[in-house]
Amino acid sequence: MKPSPALQNTMTWPQRFLIGAVLSWFGLLIFGPAVALARRAFAPGMGAFFEALTDPDAIQALLLTLKITVVVTISNTIFGIGMAVVLVRQRFWGRRIVDGLLDLPFAVSPVIAGLMLIILYGPKSEIGSRLESIGFPIVYHLPGMILAGMFVTLPLVVRSVAPILEEIGSDQEDVASTLGADWWTTFRRITLPTIRWGVAYGAALVVARSLGEFGALLVVSGNIIGRTQTATLYVHDQIESFDPHGAYVMSIVLATVSFCILVGLETVQNRVRQREYAAETNEDDQGAVRQMRRH
Amino acid sequence: MDIVVRNLSKRFGNFQAIDDVSFAIPGGQLVALLGPSGSGKSTILRAIAGLETPDSGTIELVGEEATNLPTQKRGIGFVFQHFALFRHMTVQQNVAFGLEIQKHPKAEVQERVQELLKLVQMTNFADRYPLQLSGGQRQRVALARALAPKPKVLLLDEPFGALDAKVRDELRVWLRRLHDESHVTSLFVTHDQQEAFEVCDQVVVLNHGKIEQIGPPQELYERPASPFVTEFLGQVNILRPETILGMQLDNERPLPVRLPGTPGGSIYVRPHDLVISREPNGLPGWPARIKRLTPLGWLARVELILPDSTPVHVQITQANSLELGLENGLDVYVRPRDLKVFEESSKAATAINYVI
């Protein structure tokens, strides 16, 4: 609902002040820095922009980030759904401990997360050296970076799906089973469609987070240019060098992709909501809507 | 017997939800499980559906042993208090769900769905989503969905509990009519005695996980087997033996009641089983004062105080009240027409009825 002009005129001074404060805060913290970055990235012109973007090292870094993001998102989405279902629907010994520890990746710095992985899987550790001897090195290679990505994004899908499962309860699933649906059919046709927006939202957060992950990857990757350098590590290196334009370009690309995913998700979600909810509620509501339109 | 429950028990931690419950429901009947919250009625229903595993006891559905059968194979329809419609499916898709699971051919599914939507008067809403429906409409869809695969028994868990009074009344009448047409054996959980009486052929009264009494509604009301049933099925005055001894006995009429021999016994009188008169009329009764007179449409509720300051509630018609010229503070005479005395023996209470 857009406020009518009449409404705006009746706004009181404290209201105006609060709205102004919110807008300036937003401008200072989000809009300002974003515009500054965009200006710097495009300042030398579109030619330079694309030149920086097609630098072989930049392309390598982007591809690596893409690879990590795809694997991390797919595995953590599947695992996250499973974990949310188990944590909400099952009662078992240790459930609370798992539930509490699940937030560990949020609680500790990604650098520490990376460190943990090095200690456990690094070339000097028992597991790491064994795996390396059979030709499957973890740390300073792609598997280690994927593990780091999975670690830092672990809670995202679980935490966006679990509250929905909690809220809808198990009645719908129970009804499905009384109607003869087995466990898998119930999950596929009832549970999954109900939590779909939680899953999509969680997965989108995982994508955004893996695109932007830095600390854990820095520790685990060894930052070998052209081999284990991801997009964010590339940005870091370019800032250190004396020609930071490459960093601006890469940053704007990463930020735009993440932003578009989240906005796109919101749009689709609203469309479906409108279809299932508002469109034509019951008669009384319709009457009320018509009344409002007349005014 | 379509539903047979034998020695069913279920404990949640320290709470005995069901305590050795047995009953049998004949085919084609609509039966209520009636009791206050925590009496185990919903747990029994869920156990029959296989949604809850009993600790002991057996369940038989339409002659088939079902105790260890998974919910999917029990051939039941279940209706929840909060409808539990599939939110992401239209009305039509909701009703079709059970039929699709059973892999009926598409044309057949469509035909049956149309038939049921017509039965629950929801044909015009086939393409709506559940959130676009009112509460009463949602529950009708839930019922159609449960009935679509032709279940052997229908289980309803407080189906009208989440609806407002007017819709609830309409749906009750409608459910009874639906049952008379479909004849599917139905078990209906409710805490509302009026609902149970209005809709059901038989009522099973539960308290603390145990059965207090089973019978047709009117019989339960007229011949309650325990103080609990008497108190649960409508309002009742509970009188001490001393109050009864304090009755005025004109013309040497004997005390109309044999008082309970044990101290725990008490005497029950329903508010409409008391008669008010302006003058003593020779029958055993008490003088009383009207504390408050509340007209309730065609009925009037009279709160009386007896000489030993026992409060007594009386229900008379508003016409009767006007005829007697009742008003607050007026001194009148009141006599019981019907008394129930419960002897508190070592195990169960035994009821004795006195009609005066």
Side-chain angles (χ1 to χ4, degrees):
Chain A
M1 281 280 297
K2 280 176 193 154
S4 65
L7 248 168
Q8 269 170 350
N9 286 339
T10 61
M11 224 185 274
T12 61
W13 279 107
Q15 280 175 319
R16 283 172 211 218
F17 172 76
L18 278 177
I19 291 169
V22 167
L23 286 180
S24 3
W25 198 242
F26 175 81
L28 197 69
L29 285 178
I30 298 175
F31 194 66
V35 171
L37 174 66
R39 277 186 52 189
R40 279 293 182 84
F42 292 106
M46 288 310 273
F49 182 86
F50 282 111
E51 202 176 302
L53 195 61
T54 48
D55 178 275
D57 285 348
I59 291 181
Q60 273 297 318
L62 261 179
L63 279 178
L64 184 60
T65 293
L66 192 71
K67 247 189 243 172
I68 295 173
T69 303
V70 168
V71 178
V72 166
T73 307
I74 292 175
S75 57
N76 263 2
T77 302
I78 296 172
F79 183 74
I81 295 171
M83 192 148 174
V85 170
V86 170
L87 281 178
V88 174
R89 293 279 186 264
Q90 310 296 325
R91 293 288 171 266
F92 55 92
W93 189 89
R95 189 183 71 93
R96 277 169 187 273
I97 300 171
V98 173
D99 197 34
L101 278 180
L102 189 61
D103 287 326
L104 190 73
F106 283 168
V108 303
S109 156
V111 178
I112 299 172
L115 194 64
M116 294 184 204
L117 290 177
I118 289 194
I119 294 171
L120 188 62
Y121 298 115
K124 285 178 189 150
S125 73
E126 201 167 321
I127 302 175
S129 55
R130 284 240 179 104
L131 284 171
E132 199 155 350
S133 68
I134 58 163
F136 195 73
I138 305 276
V139 170
Y140 309 129
H141 290 84
L142 188 61
M145 302 170 79
I146 288 172
L147 270 182
M150 282 169 68
F151 184 93
V152 297
T153 58
L154 176 66
L156 292 168
V157 173
V158 186
R159 290 287 181 241
S160 13
V161 170
I164 304 178
L165 281 175
E166 201 91 63
E167 187 220 310
I168 58 164
S170 53
D171 281 5
Q172 289 185 44
E173 291 160 15
D174 285 347
V175 164
S177 66
T178 65
L179 290 169
D182 56 33
W183 179 87
W184 174 242
T185 311
T186 304
F187 177 76
R188 197 172 48 85
R189 294 201 49 191
I190 308 301
T191 316
L192 205 54
T194 318
I195 59 173
R196 64 191 189 273
W197 293 115
V199 173
Y201 191 71
L205 288 178
V206 171
V207 171
R209 187 80 172 79
S210 339
L211 287 179
E213 178 47 34
F214 176 72
L217 290 178
L218 182 68
V219 177
V220 178
S221 69
N223 194 8
I224 307 159
I225 297 170
R227 203 158 69 75
T228 63
Q229 189 177 54
T230 66
T232 46
L233 297 177
Y234 176 84
V235 169
H236 174 72
D237 276 10
Q238 294 302 110
I239 297 171
E240 303 273 279
S241 75
F242 290 98
D243 176 27
H245 185 239
Y248 303 148
V249 170
M250 185 63 87
S251 299
I252 203 94
V253 169
L254 288 179
T256 310
V257 172
S258 294
F259 182 70
C260 288
I261 289 172
L262 290 178
V263 170
L265 188 67
E266 197 71 22
T267 317
V268 179
Q269 193 172 350
N270 281 341
R271 285 258 168 85
V272 177
R273 276 244 173 89
Q274 240 161 38
R275 193 186 61 175
E276 285 179 21
Y277 296 59
E280 0 170 19
T281 348
N282 54 50
E283 313 298 312
D284 308 339
D285 290 359
Q286 268 226 310
V289 169
R290 251 181 265 120
Q291 281 247 311
M292 273 193 279
R293 280 202 196 116
R294 240 176 269 140
H295 283 293
Chain B
M1 291 295 158
D2 271 7
I3 304 175
V4 181
V5 171
R6 284 193 197 93
N7 309 103
L8 203 68
S9 288
K10 171 85 187 174
R11 178 179 270 281
F12 294 110
N14 278 331
F15 179 67
Q16 189 77 44
I18 316 175
D19 192 356
D20 196 25
V21 162
S22 305
F23 60 87
I25 293 168
Q29 279 206 345
L30 179 53
V31 175
L33 288 176
L34 175 68
S37 60
S39 59
K41 52 195 190 308
S42 286
T43 314
I44 295 174
L45 199 75
R46 291 178 65 87
I48 294 171
L51 297 172
E52 210 77 71
T53 321
D55 298 335
S56 59
T58 59
I59 293 158
E60 208 178 273
L61 294 173
V62 200
E64 199 186 335
E65 171 59 35
T67 318
N68 296 312
L69 221 55
T71 303
Q72 289 85 347
K73 300 221 166 96
R74 294 199 183 195
I76 50 160
F78 203 105
V79 177
F80 283 84
Q81 177 175 10
H82 295 285
F83 328 125
L85 291 180
F86 306 137
R87 285 197 246 181
H88 58 286
M89 297 186 192
T90 61
V91 166
Q92 218 172 154
Q93 290 165 338
N94 264 280
V95 178
F97 186 83
L99 299 163
E100 283 168 8
I101 294 293
Q102 291 182 355
K103 305 217 162 38
H104 287 281
K106 266 206 174 122
E108 204 179 289
V109 172
Q110 265 316 306
E111 197 180 320
R112 177 88 179 131
V113 168
Q114 288 311 321
E115 188 185 317
L116 274 149
L117 288 180
K118 206 172 149 198
L119 185 71
V120 301
Q121 297 148 18
M122 289 295 288
T123 310
N124 293 336
F125 301 90
D127 294 320
R128 293 266 184 109
Y129 285 90
L131 288 163
Q132 300 164 350
L133 303 175
S134 70
Q137 291 172 330
R138 286 182 204 176
Q139 200 54 300
R140 268 152 46 200
V141 175
L143 207 61
R145 180 180 62 182
L147 288 171
K150 300 192 173 149
K152 291 185 275 186
V153 299
L154 182 64
L155 307 171
L156 306 112
D157 191 359
E158 302 247 8
F160 308 139
L163 304 170
D164 38 300
K166 191 170 166 286
V167 180
R168 197 158 54 211
D169 286 348
E170 283 170 14
L171 275 191
R172 270 182 208 163
V173 176
W174 176 82
L175 177 71
R176 181 66 233 189
R177 218 175 39 228
L178 187 78
H179 181 263
D180 290 340
E181 281 167 28
S182 70
H183 293 295
V184 55
T185 311
S186 308
L187 194 56
F188 180 104
V189 161
T190 180
H191 64 267
D192 181 343
Q193 61 97 5
Q194 202 191 332
E195 191 163 283
F197 276 33
E198 211 175 307
V199 174
C200 298
D201 302 311
Q202 299 259 357
V203 178
V204 179
V205 184
L206 289 155
N207 188 28
H208 295 308
K210 283 188 173 141
I211 293 182
E212 292 271 341
Q213 195 174 0
I214 305 179
Q218 198 57 29
E219 192 185 307
L220 292 189
Y221 192 78
E222 283 167 7
R223 280 185 291 284
S226 68
F228 173 80
V229 177
T230 319
E231 284 175 60
F232 195 65
L233 302 182
Q235 285 188 323
V236 72
N237 292 295
I238 305 171
L239 303 177
R240 297 172 303 145
E242 296 86 66
T243 307
I244 298 293
L245 284 171
M247 276 183 169
Q248 274 192 3
L249 303 171
D250 288 356
N251 306 333
E252 294 179 1
R253 269 174 183 270
L255 198 66
V257 183
R258 194 170 63 83
L259 291 172
T262 46
S266 33
I267 297 111
Y268 289 75
V269 191
R270 296 226 179 263
H272 53 75
D273 283 334
L274 286 156
V275 183
I276 294 176
S277 56
R278 293 293 293 264
E279 303 294 333
N281 58 3
L283 290 165
W286 302 273
R289 175 163 291 170
I290 297 179
K291 196 178 149 208
R292 181 177 299 154
L293 176 70
T294 318
L296 301 164
W298 68 278
L299 275 177
R301 188 173 66 209
V302 192
E303 292 169 49
L304 295 174
I305 298 282
L306 300 188
D308 65 345
S309 63
T310 308
V312 171
H313 283 219
V314 183
Q315 228 171 42
I316 57 174
T317 61
Q318 176 64 12
N320 189 205
S321 162
L322 291 174
E323 204 178 301
L324 290 165
L326 299 189
E327 58 185 66
N328 288 339
L330 192 72
D331 284 322
V332 293
Y333 290 85
V334 60
R335 66 176 184 88
R337 191 160 41 192
D338 194 328
L339 289 165
K340 282 169 188 60
V341 177
F342 288 99
E343 292 269 13
E344 199 86 50
S345 71
S346 58
K347 266 190 163 178
T350 48
I352 307 161
N353 266 312
Y354 294 96
V355 180
I356 302 157

